[in-house]
């Protein structure tokens, strides 16, 4: 019985480790390209984010646009509303946010383009690595 209580206490003290809502590999269509978002753990409530846009007909799979940055849980002001508990970061000094939707889906909110005519804004679906 004591072991069960000790285990329960430990689980209650460390909810962040059990609730990583962001780590994963996600993608969406971006016109004729495929946009990919990879988020890997980089500490408590922090992730290394890599975003790429790739032409699926180019078998070298060399991205035509990409950026990498760090994001962490934080607070953002979106449309005058304060939103807490989303992953926030900056790429080349421009802010953006990553929202967890339902399991296997995230949304990137960004009002800028990473390269001419393309940006990370959109809803991404989880994919399995081969």
């Amino acid at each position: 019985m004591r072991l069960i209580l000790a285990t329960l206490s430990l689980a209650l003290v460390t909810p962040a480790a059990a609730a990583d809502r962001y780590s994963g590999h996600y993608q969406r269509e971006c016109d004729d390209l495929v946009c990919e978002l990879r988020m890997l753990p980089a500490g408590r409530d922090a992730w290394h984010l890599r975003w790429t846009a790739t032409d699926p007909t180019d078998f070298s799979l060399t991205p035509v646009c990409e950026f990498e940055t760090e994001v962490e849980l934080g607070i953002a002001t979106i449309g005058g509303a304060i939103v807490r508990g989303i992953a926030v970061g900056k790429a080349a000094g421009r802010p953006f946010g990553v929202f967890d939707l339902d399991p296997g889906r995230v949304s990137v909110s960004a009002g800028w383009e990473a390269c001419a005519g393309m940006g990370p804004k959109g809803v991404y679906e989880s994919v399995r690595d081969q």
Side-chain angles (χ1 to χ4, degrees):
M1 183 63 158
R2 288 182 187 168
L3 179 60
I4 293 171
L5 290 175
T7 304
L8 180 59
S9 298
L10 182 60
L12 292 174
V13 171
T14 59
D20 183 350
R21 308 177 322 240
Y22 295 103
S23 291
H25 178 195
Y26 307 91
Q27 69 180 206
R28 71 177 183 91
E29 290 183 20
C30 300
D31 296 323
D32 295 336
L33 304 174
V34 174
C35 289
E36 292 187 291
L37 181 71
R38 290 183 186 263
M39 295 182 69
L40 301 173
R44 182 179 170 92
D45 297 334
W47 297 266
H48 178 80
L49 180 144
R50 181 168 191 251
W51 179 86
T52 59
T54 308
D55 180 348
T57 63
D58 177 1
F59 295 114
S60 73
L61 298 177
T62 302
V64 296
C65 184
E66 64 184 320
F67 69 85
E68 291 187 51
T69 190
E70 302 295 321
V71 297
E72 59 186 20
L73 283 185
I75 300 170
T77 302
I78 300 172
I82 296 175
V83 182
R84 299 181 194 298
I86 66 169
V88 294
K90 288 185 178 184
R94 301 166 298 196
F96 68 96
V98 181
F99 299 81
D100 63 318
L101 300 175
D102 40 284
R105 296 177 64 219
V106 296
S107 175
V108 176
S109 177
W112 45 267
E113 295 179 341
C115 297
M118 66 186 81
K121 183 177 183 175
V123 175
Y124 294 76
E125 302 284 335
S126 179
V127 295
R128 292 179 186 243
D129 289 326
Q130 301 285 328

